[in-house]
Amino acid sequence: QRDKMSNSSSITHFLLLAFADTRELQLLPFWLFMGISLAALLGNGLIITAVAFAHRLHTPMYFFLLNLALLDLGSISTTVPKAMANSLWDSRAISYADCAAQVFLVFFLMSAELCLLTVMAYDRYVAICRPLLYRTLLGSRACVHMAAAAWGSGFLNAVLHTANTFSIPLCQDNVLDQFFCEIPQILKLSCSDVSLREVGLLVFGVCTALGCFVFIVVSYVQIFRAVLRIPSQQGQHKAFSTCLPHLAVVSLFLSTAVFDHLHPPSILSPSLDLGVAILYSVVPPAVNPLIY
């Protein structure tokens, strides 16, 4: 049932997407999310423990991997528990405040992850193309600064987008066609067309993502050129085995996230939206530890 709202001030809660109509089918997503969550918790927990306690893993590459594991744990903890609870209790409601918090955390963690993946591409570029300068360019202080910049830029991005989204009047209804609160879904409830400032922030977000993507691509063009000049096959294999996991993670993360936010309305369908959202928000935290 759709609750009609006159304006956003009267919205006390939103209704998230129902996975199925029958009780038996409602429990399927619960068990699926439970399995994925446990895999993400175990995999990322092992990475964090290993990097924290194994002294020989105290290198820039593993320091950034530890940060990625922390972001992945945060990411899956933001969206999945609420979806699991709703499936278990046969509910769809999420409060206005919880929805705003979810939007902020999802955007914060996703933006920080993109920035961190860019930093990790730089780490691999220096390691393979500038090995003699590696300790100079990626000392412990520089690594901490880069990681802090990734987290900080994610935070700033999230503040801007969340404040902007929830300051737009909402009056269509309070039903979101997604299993978590997502900015494109909330903007569909707007009383008017997406405002100029929202377009501005969207352009800002796309430019940031595009900038990161171009930096990663240019880094890998340089890396592959350097790797192909390595005389021994064993050396080439070692270099590729360092880079390919990172490239796989970047490809999965960027392709699904960009498609979800920028795909044309003509191919819009709730089931497609749901599938893509699960691919970019739930699958990477579980799959990243396996890839690495």
Side-chain angles (χ1 to χ4, degrees), residues 14-251:
F14 294 93
L15 297 177
L16 298 172
L17 183 71
F19 287 106
D21 297 327
T22 64
R23 183 76 185 119
E24 290 74 20
L25 288 175
Q26 277 278 39
L27 288 174
L28 272 177
F30 172 81
W31 292 112
L32 177 68
F33 280 148
M34 171 76 87
I36 294 173
S37 297
L38 288 175
L41 198 66
L42 183 65
N44 289 295
L46 283 171
I47 286 177
I48 291 165
T49 307
V51 176
F53 293 103
H55 187 72
R56 67 188 184 85
L57 298 183
H58 290 180
T59 64
M61 185 173 85
Y62 287 103
F63 170 72
F64 294 134
L65 189 56
L66 180 142
N67 277 268
L68 184 68
L70 288 170
L71 285 169
D72 280 339
L73 277 181
S75 185
I76 205 160
S77 302
T78 301
T79 55
V80 170
K82 181 62 180 173
M84 286 171 65
N86 281 4
S87 288
L88 193 60
W89 307 123
D90 198 17
S91 165
R92 292 173 60 195
I94 182 170
S95 72
Y96 189 88
D98 285 351
C99 189
Q102 208 173 55
V103 164
F104 172 80
L105 287 169
V106 166
F107 217 92
F108 166 45
L109 295 161
M110 295 283 178
S111 301
E113 183 153 335
L114 177 58
C115 294
L116 190 69
L117 289 170
T118 309
V119 169
M120 291 169 85
Y122 175 71
D123 168 60
R124 277 149 184 74
Y125 164 77
V126 176
I128 291 169
C129 300
R130 300 282 186 272
L132 298 178
L133 295 173
Y134 190 75
R135 289 186 180 277
T136 309
L137 294 174
L138 285 153
S140 56
R141 184 174 291 183
C143 289
V144 169
H145 287 167
M146 286 179 198
W151 287 81
S153 59
F155 182 83
L156 184 63
N157 236 337
V159 168
L160 286 171
H161 281 273
T162 308
N164 189 68
T165 301
F166 285 92
S167 64
I168 292 171
L170 309 175
C171 58
Q172 301 297 325
D173 53 38
N174 67 340
V175 179
L176 303 176
D177 291 325
Q178 194 53 275
F179 74 96
F180 65 94
C181 288
E182 189 184 43
I183 289 176
Q185 296 295 334
I186 294 167
L187 293 178
K188 287 181 192 173
L189 310 181
S190 171
C191 299
S192 56
D193 289 335
V194 177
S195 61
L196 187 63
R197 59 192 173 151
E198 183 58 36
V199 173
L201 275 183
L202 184 67
V203 169
F204 173 73
V206 169
C207 288
T208 305
L210 195 63
C212 291
F213 176 71
V214 169
F215 184 90
I216 291 168
V217 168
V218 170
S219 297
Y220 271 101
V221 168
Q222 300 290 329
I223 286 167
F224 288 139
R225 283 174 62 188
V227 169
L228 293 173
R229 288 199 297 266
I230 296 173
S232 71
Q233 273 196 322
Q234 189 181 359
Q236 286 186 358
H237 177 74
K238 186 180 178 183
F240 276 126
S241 68
T242 305
C243 297
L244 291 179
H246 177 254
L247 210 50
V249 169
V250 169
S251 303

